[in-house]
Structure formats: structure tokens, C-alpha cells
Amino acid sequence: MVSYRKRGKVWQYEISYKDLDGAYKKLRKSGFRLKSDAELAASQVKSLYADIRQFKAGEIPLSVYFERWINLYKRNSVTNVTFIKYENTLNHIRKIFGKMPLKDITRTVYQERLNVFARNHAPRTVSAFHKQIRAALLDALDEHIISNDPTRKAVVTGVAVHRPKKALDYGEWQKLIHHLDPDQIPEMMIYLAAVTGMRYAEILGVTTSDINWQEGTVDVNKTWDYKYHTGFKKTKNKASMRKLPLDSISLHHLHVFVENHLTSPNAPLFLVNGHAMVSAEINQVLTNKLHALGLPRVTFHGLRHTHASVLLYQGVSVLSVSKRLGHSSITTTQSTYLHIIKELEAKDTDKILAILKNA
């Protein structure tokens, strides 16, 4: 319902409507010199926004709309981990867009705020952030809450990520494992990664009940969610569930560690005061250690590549390395370590020719 009244020398329109929660409210705007001007403005509002509640929704902050949107469309349709990612986006929206109404977010404004986010995030992260917001705003556009898509033709940038060395060579690997303190939680995790090739989440998922002291093996049967703190999770795939044989030295280090860090059989071995170190924390410990030893920087995941590279260069078959890493197929191993395999093939060719020559 629309009504008009004259306030002094200007006209005002008043539209009665129900808000998104069903409560009756009024939308007023004044300052029109003629009544016909007020009527035209009111009719434009009603024609552009079929439901006045949707017009009012255009005045709510992006963060409020996005929160309603993820609870309505995402909470029951995505995994808990994925929903947490949407919640992280919501927190960034609150910081970057503040209380800016949806209707005030133009393409220029959106690009400016996206650039702010990109100042300290990698392009891949910025792209994910942009895609989630864009999905919500396209729904807002379909519902006529906004009249234009502010995310159209947005340019995604980000901070270039410095790529450390992918893996240590054999000598560097030896130097690292011989200078680690197996009694320290972070350094024992680094040690295990270097001598087993286990993924970080797999190492965090190890409990004393997973260790078979008689057989000298570690049973990889679960992981620990260090990103979203949801506890134990399944392994990456079925092939990731495996028993890893340990050498006598590594088994001794692990035995001493367990004795000095008593935990219940089913509790994660490597929590620090009940806290699982996030990847940035363990990577910083590793970086500091490598720097102290005068070794090139690799990431914690790079220790997995190091382990595989060392085994391949030492003549272990690709199939055995694939099983030890828990790859879903040998093709994954071959594609990941193609450069090493080609080098080894070249050496094998020389050996073959030498054998035939001396036959």
C-alpha cells in the first residue's frame, strides 16, 4: 500500500510492507517538489522490486544477506568442512565490506574490496572468495533484491606465492634426519614425514594403538582435521589406508617418544597441549630447522616428495613407492615423479647398452 503526504514544501511517499521476518513496516522517502514526482519514484520502486520486502533487503549489509544465504542454501547441502569455508568467507565479508548495503555495492566498489582481500591472499584463495560471493549475489539478482551484478567481469588477483624447493636431495635428507630431536613433538613429526612419506594429517592421526612394536609398523587408518578441528577423519582414499614398516632406528625414536609423552591409546600422539599445529606452524618450525642447518627450504609436504625421491633414486620400484605413499594408483606416482623416472630410465638405458656391449 502506498500513501502520499505533503511535508512543508515537499512531498513524501510511504509504502507499507512486510519485512523478511513477516513484521509490518513502512518505507518512507521525502524531498519531492511535486506529488507526481513522489508517485513516479514510488512506482519505480514497486516496478523494479516486485516485493517491497526485497527492496528493503537491498538495504541490508552484504554480510547479513550472505549469512542468510549460506544457512538457507548451503548448511544442509554441503559437508561440514565446506560449510566452514563459507563461514570463513562470511567473516572476511564482515571485515572488508562492513555494513555497506547490498544496493550500494557497485562493480567499482566490489573490485576495490576484492583488491583489498587480494593484498595478502594467494590468487587461488581470492578466486574461491570471489566465487562464493558471486554465487550469493547472482541469487540476489534473480530475486530482484539488487538490479545489477556487481561481480561481473571482476578481476581476480593475489599475492604471488614464493615456491620453495620441492624436495631435498639424498645428502640434505640425511643431514636433516640426523639433526632432529625425536623427543620434541614438532621435530618428531618432521622426522616421521621424512622417513615414511606420510601426509601431515596422517601423522597427526597416529595413536599408540596404531603402532605394532613387534612387527615394527605404523597403521595409517585415519587422519586428524587440523584445519577445521572436527577430530578424526577418514584417510584421503582407500589406498591411503596402509601399514608402513619402520627401520629399527626410527622405531627406537618412536618408542622413546611414546614413553616420554604418555597418552591414552586412542588419543593423537602429536597434539601440543591438546592443540594440533596448523600447517603454517609446523612449516615455520621446519623452515627454522632447515635454515639453522644451512639447508634449502622445503615445505612439510615437501618431505613427502623428498621421501619418495630418495627411494626412487635408491632403486626402489615405482610400485613399492606408490604403495608406501598411499597413492590411489601407480599412475599418480608416475605423473608426480615423472622427471625422476625419466632420469632413472636414462641411467638404465646406459646400463642396458653396457651389458649388451660386454655380452
Side-chain angles (χ1 to χ4, degrees):
M1 177 180 176
V2 184
S3 61
Y4 305 92
R5 61 180 295 189
K6 194 169 186 180
R7 299 176 62 88
K9 296 183 178 181
V10 296
W11 284 84
Q12 169 188 285
Y13 70 71
E14 179 179 281
I15 305 175
S16 299
Y17 68 98
K18 281 186 179 181
D19 68 10
L20 295 175
D21 297 317
Y24 282 98
K25 292 188 177 180
K26 294 182 178 180
L27 174 68
R28 300 185 183 92
K29 188 170 183 180
S30 61
F32 301 101
R33 189 173 62 88
L34 302 173
K35 182 180 180 181
S36 59
D37 293 335
E39 290 173 337
L40 177 61
S43 65
Q44 287 175 337
V45 168
K46 294 184 69 178
S47 63
L48 184 57
Y49 304 95
D51 189 331
I52 192 61
R53 290 177 298 171
Q54 294 173 331
F55 173 81
K56 195 64 180 178
E59 295 185 350
I60 64 174
L62 171 59
S63 59
V64 174
Y65 178 79
F66 189 82
E67 183 174 18
R68 288 177 176 176
W69 182 78
I70 63 174
N71 283 318
L72 181 61
Y73 294 107
K74 300 300 176 182
R75 182 175 289 278
N76 298 316
S77 63
V78 299
T79 64
N80 290 336
V81 170
T82 300
F83 189 75
I84 290 172
K85 293 179 181 179
Y86 280 101
E87 289 182 316
N88 288 339
T89 295
L90 174 60
N91 290 332
H92 287 301
I93 289 173
R94 287 170 176 155
K95 294 176 183 177
I96 296 172
F97 289 88
K99 296 182 178 180
M100 180 180 294
L102 276 173
K103 62 184 180 63
D104 291 346
I105 302 177
T106 62
R107 282 185 60 201
T108 300
V109 169
Y110 181 78
Q111 186 67 62
E112 288 174 346
R113 301 306 167 94
L114 190 63
N115 291 346
V116 169
F117 183 74
R119 289 175 188 169
N120 50 14
H121 291 89
R124 183 176 178 180
T125 305
V126 178
S127 177
F129 177 72
H130 162 65
K131 286 179 180 178
Q132 290 187 356
I133 297 177
R134 177 172 170 77
L137 289 181
L138 286 177
D139 277 356
L141 182 64
D142 286 344
E143 298 175 56
H144 303 295
I145 294 172
I146 55 176
S147 58
N148 295 290
D149 174 18
T151 68
R152 187 173 67 88
K153 294 185 178 181
V155 178
V156 175
T157 58
V159 180
V161 180
H162 172 66
R163 299 294 180 186
K165 188 177 178 180
K166 189 172 183 178
L168 301 174
D169 62 30
Y170 183 66
E172 293 165 344
W173 172 79
Q174 282 185 310
K175 186 174 182 179
L176 174 63
I177 63 175
H178 290 154
H179 288 83
L180 289 168
D181 182 357
D183 195 43
Q184 301 298 316
I185 291 178
E187 297 201 15
M188 187 61 196
M189 287 192 289
I190 292 170
Y191 182 89
L192 269 184
V195 300
T196 67
M198 292 170 67
R199 301 176 178 92
Y200 185 50
E202 291 173 343
I203 292 175
L204 284 173
V206 172
T207 65
T208 53
S209 62
D210 297 322
I211 306 169
N212 189 316
W213 301 109
Q214 286 72 37
E215 294 182 4
T217 61
V218 174
D219 188 6
V220 181
N221 53 49
K222 58 190 174 306
T223 64
W224 183 264
D225 180 14
Y226 61 90
K227 285 186 177 181
Y228 305 110
H229 318 295
T230 59
F232 287 116
K233 292 176 59 180
K234 294 181 180 179
T235 54
K236 187 175 183 180
N237 51 55
K238 288 185 179 180
S240 296
M241 299 183 68
R242 60 204 189 277
K243 289 185 183 292
L244 290 174
L246 292 179
D247 63 278
S248 58
I249 296 175
S250 298
L251 198 63
H252 171 73
H253 288 328
L254 189 56
H255 190 272
V256 172
F257 178 87
V258 170
E259 286 188 337
N260 294 339
H261 299 78
L262 294 175
T263 60
S264 62
N266 297 314
L269 266 178
F270 301 110
L271 298 190
V272 182
N273 297 322
H275 162 71
M277 299 177 72
V278 297
S279 56
E281 292 173 315
I282 191 64
N283 272 305
Q284 189 58 57
V285 174
L286 176 59
T287 297
N288 293 342
K289 190 68 179 183
L290 293 170
H291 179 74
L293 295 173
L295 297 174
R297 177 176 175 256
V298 295
T299 64
F300 191 90
H301 193 72
L303 297 176
R304 178 171 165 85
H305 292 308
T306 296
H307 182 71
S309 301
V310 166
L311 295 183
L312 289 170
Y313 278 124
Q314 294 301 310
V316 178
S317 71
V318 177
L319 178 60
S320 295
V321 172
S322 182
K323 288 182 177 179
R324 189 166 177 85
L325 294 180
H327 282 164
S328 57
S329 73
I330 193 172
T331 304
T332 303
T333 315
Q334 290 172 327
S335 61
T336 304
Y337 302 102
L338 182 62
H339 61 295
I340 298 175
I341 293 171
K342 285 184 175 180
E343 286 183 39
L344 296 174
E345 284 179 350
K347 291 181 180 180
D348 286 343
T349 299
D350 293 338
K351 289 180 182 179
I352 292 169
L353 294 177
I355 291 170
L356 294 175
K357 183 178 180 180
N358 296 322

